Every structure is written in C-alpha cells, then in structure tokens.
Amino acid sequence: MAGEQMIPSGASSPVHKQMEQALGTIGVTTAHKQILALILIGCLFDAFEQNTVGLVAPILKAQWNLTGADIGFLNTITFASAAAGRLLSGILGDRNGRRVMLTINLLLFTLGSALCALAPNFAVLCCARAIVGFGVGGEISTAVTMLAEFCSPKFRGTAAGLVNVGAGGFGNFLAPAFGLLIFTLFEGDNAWRWLFAALAVPAFLVVFFRRFVPETPRFLASQGKIDEANKVLSILASGSLRPKALRIKEYLSKPDDADIQPKKNSWKELFQAPYLGRTIPVAIAILMSYGAQLSVLTLMPMIFMSMGHTLSGSLLFSMIIQSGSVLGAITASMFGYYFPRKKVLGIGSICACAAALAIVYLGTSLYLVLFFGALFQFFVLLLNTSIWIYAPELYPTRIRGFGVALILASGSAAGSVVPTLAGFLFDNLGMLGVFGLAASMYAIFAFCIQLGPETYGRSMEDLTQPAEVAETSTVDFTKTAREQA
C-alpha cells in the first residue's frame, strides 16, 4: 500500500459494523434505483454542458474571430471554476451534508447555462462559463460520494461507476447528437445560443424531483444522528423514496452514552498520514487523465474540420468516437463489482497510452482514426470511471466529501490548463501534438496509480478491515430488510 501506515478510523465501532451489515442486508432496492436515476439525469446534462465548448467552437471561431487557444481558454475558465466548486462543495458537504450541496450545484449549473446563452461577447461568456464550472464541479463530486455511501460494500463500486456511465459515457456520446439536433432546429448565427439555453431547461425538472433524495445514512451516522440514519435505511429497505406507511427498523443502535459527540471532521486531516499518501498519487493520476480527455473532447471537432470535413460531419465523427466512452464507462462499472481497483487502473492506463499513439502513427485514413479514436475513448472512460469508484473508498465518512472533491478538483485543474496547451500544440503540430501529449500523460498515470493503496473489498472507514463484517452483530439481521420494513 505504497508504504503508508494504516491507522484505524472507526470501522471497529459497533455503529460502523452495523452500518456495513445493514447496507449489505438491504442490498439493492427500487429506492436505490430511483436515487441513481435522479442523480444520473443531472450528471447527463452536466456532461452535455462540458461538451458545449467543443461543439460551438467552430461557430465561435468564425463569428468572434477566436483562435484555438481562445477556445482552450474557455475550458480553462470552466474547469478552474469547477475545481473551486468541488473543493468548496466537499468542505460544506462534510459539514452540512451531501443532499443540500447536490441541489445548490445543479441550480448554479442551470443559471450559468442561461447566462451563456445571453452572452454578448467573449468576456461575458467567460464569466458565465465560470458559474457553469462551479456548479458542474460540485455536482459530480457530490454525486459520486453520495452513491458510494448509499450502497452496500459489494455494490458501491458499480453505483459510483454508473455516475460516469451517465456523465462521461452516454453524456459524451450523445452530446454531439444533441448539438446536431439544436443546430438543425435553430440555424443561423445564434444556433450556439440555443444550445446553451436548451441545457438550462431540463435541470429545473431534476432539481424539483431531487427533493425526494434523502441524506446518506453514513453521513447521518457519522454525525451521531442515529434515529435519522435508521429512518433512511428503512426507506431504502422499503423500496420507495416515498413509502406510504414506513416502519422504522433499528438497524443501528445508539451508543450507551447518549451525550457522546461524533468525531469532528477537519479538512486538514486530509493532509496528514495516512491520507496524504493516498491523495497525492491519485490526484496526479486523475490530473493526467482528465487533461488528456478534455483536450481531445474540446479539439476533436476542429481536428476533423482541419481534415476537410464539414461542421455536421465533424460532429457526427466526434459522436462515433464517443461511442467508445459509453462502452468504457459501462465496462468500468462492471469491473467495479469484480476486480481490484489498481489492477484495472494500471492496465487501462497502458492501453490508453498505446491507443493515443495509434491514432497518430496508424490513423492513415478516416476509418482508422475513428476506430483508434473510439478505442482511445474506451480506455479514457474506463480509467475516469474507475477513479470515481476508487476515490470515495480512500477516506472515512467524516472527510470523504472533501477527499473526493480534492481528487476530482485535480482533474478540473487539468481541464483549466491542459486544453489551452493542447490547442497551442494543435495550432503548431496538428494531431501529433495533441495525441502525443495524451500518450505521455497516461504514461505518468500508470506510474502514479501504483503508489496508492488497494481498496477493493475493504471497509470504507478503515482499509485495514474487510468490508464484509461477521454475521454476528449487536443487531439481529436474520430476517431480510424487506420482510422487516
């Protein structure tokens, strides 16, 4: 485990043992699926929003006389703000809860999209993108944390991975099609404005329905709110987020001392052993992966147009390449159930490096570029989704929100810098510059990820403990949760 010294973080306490037992006994119910659907729909539109700069880039370049570096700078603003949004959401989420931050971030994203549609010039568009980034950044890191905390040890990896199936997978795949639809319905110089406006509308509906999503039982238990945690566990076991006659089962027993206070969370703890030894290598790895992915996403339509294709054709080809994203995210979510995290991340990063080089040296025709491009996106989303699975497992509940946010913020920081560099390299070296940069970044990823600990099958509160607790517990779980609900 990279030489780090593991220290207990409370997994041996009766409440944490009972929590693992309760979530394992409850399993996956319709309530889990409802929560997953409400979170995934929001993340889908987040992904659409992250792709808009690449979709409107050719139009903005012609209309406002922008350069490739200018387009990259739009992403710089967006993802620098996303990094800030993730960090603040992580700190506030650990203090005030995950649920409230999920709603606030989606509202910010909606407001930013509306302002993008109304932007009169490049400067105002940059400011609007900053608001979008702040909301999107906090939304995704909060979503990953919540799903990991709602689910059983066995299913938590798949649940967290499914966030990226909706966002990075289907979101990236359908974004070009969404752009083509809007550009077909609203032709002319203002077509890009309609694209931003269309993204703001569905988010309001998601915010409305998300009010039914409860706080996570792990967070409530970490705050000493045992009664509320038992209520949420009972809701999950009932199979509905709005049960008509909820019977609350005492999955978690209160401590003998009713006045005992939960251990106070502190973001500073993240920069002490053993958590610092986990955070640094994983943060560097995701910085490399996000930087490579976002550079390619942003510049791909321009790359196809530089090859002589029309805007419509370029968006269609970009969509074909993004088909690999869907398969990669789905595969990672499945692997999260069966395979150790570091093995998936290590092998996947080597394959991503090879695929990037294949685009440059073997992509001698459009068909080969499409094939190797889709293969590249497959491994990119396999890695990014696996990181999302890995990150929540690195930290105990009291600092998990900020820990996940810090790691994902590193990816956002890459998105604020690397696309600008990639745009410069594209202007001067073409595809060789863009994909050569991507290949080198995945080589660094492969090295860094081996420095972190393995978390598969381990407790979310203490990596020295297995996730599967003994059958004997202070609470009798011989009957299924559904029978007791």
Side-chain angles (χ1 to χ4, degrees):
M1 295 191 181
E4 69 172 32
Q5 284 190 325
M6 308 299 294
I7 61 175
S9 57
S12 58
S13 70
V15 170
H16 285 128
K17 285 184 177 181
Q18 292 166 15
M19 178 66 72
E20 300 288 356
Q21 185 76 34
L23 291 173
T25 302
I26 292 170
V28 181
T29 70
T30 302
H32 284 95
K33 296 174 184 177
Q34 292 171 345
I35 293 171
L36 184 62
L38 289 172
I39 290 178
L40 287 186
I41 292 172
C43 292
L44 175 69
F45 286 101
D46 288 347
F48 280 2
E49 181 56 67
Q50 291 183 67
N51 278 272
T52 51
V53 171
L55 295 176
V56 304
I59 300 176
L60 288 179
K61 282 190 68 177
Q63 190 174 128
W64 286 352
N65 296 317
L66 303 180
T67 65
D70 291 328
I71 298 300
F73 184 70
L74 281 176
N75 266 349
T76 297
I77 294 293
T78 304
F79 289 98
S81 180
R86 281 177 173 165
L87 293 175
L88 182 59
S89 293
I91 293 174
L92 294 178
D94 283 337
R95 182 181 304 168
N96 303 317
R98 326 303 193 195
R99 182 174 181 267
V100 63
M101 296 311 302
L102 195 71
T103 299
I104 291 174
N105 287 317
L106 190 56
L107 286 173
L108 286 174
F109 152 72
T110 303
L111 173 63
S113 296
L115 291 176
C116 286
L118 301 173
N121 53 49
F122 183 70
V124 175
L125 182 60
C126 287
C127 293
R129 295 303 298 170
I131 297 175
V132 168
F134 199 94
V136 169
E139 159 95 357
I140 292 179
S141 61
T142 302
V144 172
T145 301
M146 287 188 76
L147 286 178
E149 292 182 350
F150 270 122
C151 297
S152 65
K154 192 68 174 176
F155 187 67
R156 72 192 184 205
T158 298
L162 285 173
V163 175
N164 215 25
V165 173
F170 283 104
N172 287 340
F173 173 64
L174 294 176
F178 183 74
L180 277 174
L181 175 63
I182 298 300
F183 293 158
T184 301
L185 294 176
F186 303 97
E187 298 179 352
D189 293 339
N190 289 322
W192 64 272
R193 297 184 185 276
W194 286 107
L195 180 61
F196 284 118
L199 289 172
V201 177
F204 282 113
L205 297 176
V206 178
V207 170
F208 176 77
F209 287 108
R210 273 189 182 172
R211 74 186 191 277
F212 300 123
V213 176
E215 183 56 80
T216 71
R218 285 185 183 274
F219 175 79
L220 292 171
S222 74
Q223 299 297 302
K225 300 177 180 180
I226 303 301
D227 289 337
E228 294 179 44
N230 280 325
K231 181 179 180 180
V232 173
L233 288 170
S234 299
I235 290 174
L236 295 176
S238 73
S240 174
L241 294 181
R242 302 181 66 186
K244 294 181 179 179
L246 179 66
R247 293 177 56 193
I248 299 178
K249 177 180 173 61
E250 191 177 335
Y251 289 95
L252 313 178
S253 59
K254 293 182 180 179
D256 292 335
D257 185 355
D259 295 327
I260 190 171
Q261 296 295 319
K263 185 173 181 179
K264 186 177 180 181
N265 66 69
S266 173
W267 61 269
K268 296 179 181 178
E269 191 178 352
L270 204 66
F271 301 100
Q272 302 170 3
Y275 307 116
L276 184 62
R278 308 175 191 180
T279 303
I280 291 178
V282 179
I284 294 175
I286 199 170
L287 188 151
M288 296 294 111
S289 186
Y290 267 47
Q293 179 199 16
L294 294 172
S295 297
V296 173
L297 279 178
T298 301
L299 297 174
M300 210 65 221
M302 291 170 48
I303 290 174
F304 280 121
M305 291 191 72
S306 71
M307 296 169 64
H309 301 289
T310 64
L311 173 60
S312 297
S314 297
L315 292 178
L316 177 61
F317 296 147
S318 296
M319 182 178 175
I320 293 173
I321 284 179
Q322 290 301 337
S323 64
S325 300
V326 179
L327 297 176
I330 293 174
T331 301
S333 189
M334 293 173 57
F335 283 1
Y337 192 87
Y338 294 106
F339 299 114
R341 315 310 186 205
K342 289 175 63 175
K343 181 176 293 186
V344 174
L345 290 166
I347 296 175
S349 56
I350 294 173
C351 293
C353 179
L357 294 175
I359 295 174
V360 177
Y361 294 106
L362 301 179
T364 54
S365 68
L366 173 63
Y367 298 108
L368 288 174
V369 170
L370 293 175
F371 171 76
F372 288 120
L375 189 64
F376 174 77
Q377 285 300 122
F378 172 87
F379 289 113
V380 166
L381 265 293
L382 175 73
L383 294 171
N384 286 355
T385 305
S386 297
I387 283 279
W388 288 19
I389 294 171
Y390 188 39
E393 299 177 339
L394 293 170
Y395 310 101
T397 300
R398 65 180 181 274
I399 58 171
R400 182 173 298 121
F402 183 57
V404 173
L406 183 60
I407 287 178
L408 297 189
S410 301
S412 299
S416 71
V417 176
V418 181
T420 303
L421 173 61
F424 173 80
L425 292 175
F426 175 67
D427 290 339
N428 291 274
L429 299 175
M431 287 178 60
L432 175 61
V434 175
F435 288 101
L437 176 66
S440 63
M441 295 179 79
Y442 279 113
I444 297 173
F445 181 109
F447 171 76
C448 288
I449 207 64
Q450 299 306 313
L451 302 179
E454 182 55 70
T455 61
Y456 179 70
R458 312 307 296 173
S459 168
M460 291 186 78
E461 305 304 326
D462 180 0
L463 292 184
T464 65
Q465 302 293 322
E468 298 297 334
V469 298
E471 291 299 321
T472 57
S473 176
T474 56
V475 180
D476 181 14
F477 290 111
T478 56
K479 297 183 180 180
T480 65
R482 190 178 298 275
E483 291 173 339
Q484 291 292 316

